[in-house]
Amino acid sequence: MKILVCISCVPDTTSKIAIDPSTSQISSQGLTYIVGPYDDYALSRAIELKESNGAEVIVLHVGGSESEALIRKCLALGADSAVRIDGNPISSTQIADAIVDYVKQNPVDLILMGKESIDYNSGIVHGLVAGALGYVHFNPVMHLDLAGNNLQLEVEIDGGKMEVSCALPAVLGCQEPIAEWKIPSMRGIMTARTKEISVIPLIPTDSVKLVKASIAETARRNKMIDAAEAETLIDLLKTETNVL
C-alpha cells in the first residue's frame, strides 16, 4: 500500500506577517517556517499506518528549495521518500494540478493532507485533487483505520461526527485527533540524510495571476460608546467597520 502525504510549508503561527510590495507576496524576511499543523496530523497517522500495516509513505510538497529542511524533518519522522515539485505556486488550483499530474504518473492508494493550510486557509486542495482523480473524498477526518481494502473513518459534521466506511483509493483532509504529533528521533534524523528527495519541475498550468495582496487590520480600537448614544454606535458600525 502506498500513502502519499501532501504537506504545506507555512509561517509559524506566532509570526508577524507582512506583504512585500514589490512582489505582492508574503515577505519571508524574519519568518520561521513550519510544516502545516494539520499536515503534521496527516503525516503522523500515515506513519502509524506504516508501522502497523507495512505501508510505504511518500511525502510531497509543491515549493522551492528553501523547504527541503522541513521535508527532511518529515523523512526523519518516518516517511520513506519525498518529492518536491519545484516552483512557487500562487493558487490552490495550481497546487492541486501538480499533485494530480504526479499521481497519474505514480499511482498511490491513499492521499492524506491537512484539512487546510494555515496561511491562506483555502481548504480546497484535497477536494480538487479527489475530483480530478475520481477518488473518494472526505474532510475533515478525525479518525482513520484500515480494514482490508476499505477505510473506517470518523468525519466531523455540523453538531457532531459521522462514521463512514469507504473503498480505496481516497483523498482525505485530516485534523486532530486523528493522531498525536511526533518528534523525530536522533536515529530518524541521521537516517533522513540518506533518504531520497526527488525534484521535478512545476508545470505552469494556472491562469490565475496575483495582482495585489494586503493584510487586514485586526487591532482592536477599543472605542467606548455611551449607552445613550445608540445613533453614534450605528454610525461607527457603518462608516468604520462596514458591519451595517
Side-chain angles (χ1 to χ4, degrees):
M1 179 181 184
K2 289 189 176 183
I3 303 175
L4 182 70
V5 181
C6 303
I7 66 165
S8 57
C9 296
V10 298
D12 189 288
T13 52
T14 61
S15 299
K16 183 175 178 59
I17 304 299
I19 299 294
D20 183 344
S22 64
T23 63
S24 292
Q25 299 274 13
I26 292 175
S27 173
S28 60
Q29 187 173 359
L31 289 185
T32 299
Y33 282 82
I34 60 172
V35 174
Y38 296 115
D39 303 322
D40 259 333
Y41 285 116
L43 177 60
S44 295
R45 187 62 187 130
I47 293 169
E48 291 172 354
L49 293 174
K50 170 188 172 179
E51 293 169 348
S52 61
N53 295 275
E56 178 185 353
V57 177
I58 306 158
V59 169
L60 183 147
H61 172 65
V62 184
S65 59
E66 67 277 1
S67 61
E68 290 204 359
L70 293 176
I71 296 173
R72 288 284 176 199
K73 177 187 175 184
C74 296
L75 292 172
L77 288 171
D80 296 292
S81 61
V83 177
R84 182 173 63 82
I85 301 178
D86 186 37
N88 294 300
I90 62 171
S91 75
S92 297
T93 55
Q94 191 174 17
I95 295 171
D97 287 345
I99 296 170
V100 168
D101 287 344
Y102 174 81
V103 173
K104 285 181 176 179
Q105 298 177 52
N106 305 272
V108 297
D109 303 290
L110 178 61
I111 302 174
L112 301 180
M113 60 185 81
K115 69 172 184 177
E116 62 184 353
S117 64
I118 62 166
D119 46 7
Y120 294 103
N121 300 96
S122 73
I124 63 173
V125 172
H126 37 71
L128 293 172
V129 170
L133 293 172
Y135 285 12
V136 175
H137 171 241
F138 286 101
N139 175 69
V141 177
M142 306 163 62
H143 181 83
L144 162 62
D145 275 328
L146 288 176
N149 291 324
N150 290 332
L151 302 176
Q152 301 293 332
L153 310 174
E154 287 183 4
V155 184
E156 183 178 6
I157 58 174
D158 288 343
K161 63 182 179 182
M162 65 177 180
E163 297 182 2
V164 297
S165 176
C166 69
L168 295 168
V171 181
L172 307 178
C174 303
Q175 68 170 32
E176 73 282 359
I178 195 169
E180 293 289 335
W181 282 355
K182 298 185 181 302
I183 299 174
S185 65
M186 182 57 66
R187 180 179 179 181
I189 293 170
M190 298 301 291
T191 303
R193 295 179 180 179
T194 62
K195 290 182 179 179
E196 178 186 5
I197 300 179
S198 299
V199 179
I200 58 180
L202 176 64
I203 300 173
T205 59
D206 203 341
S207 59
V208 175
K209 180 180 179 181
L210 179 61
V211 177
K212 183 181 179 182
S214 60
I215 302 296
E217 182 181 348
T218 57
R220 295 178 181 269
R221 298 186 183 182
N222 298 320
K223 289 191 175 182
M224 304 298 292
I225 308 299
D226 190 276
E229 299 179 7
E231 291 298 326
T232 301
L233 174 60
I234 292 172
D235 183 62
L236 289 173
L237 290 174
K238 288 180 178 179
T239 59
E240 295 193 10
T241 67
N242 296 319
V243 170
L244 299 178

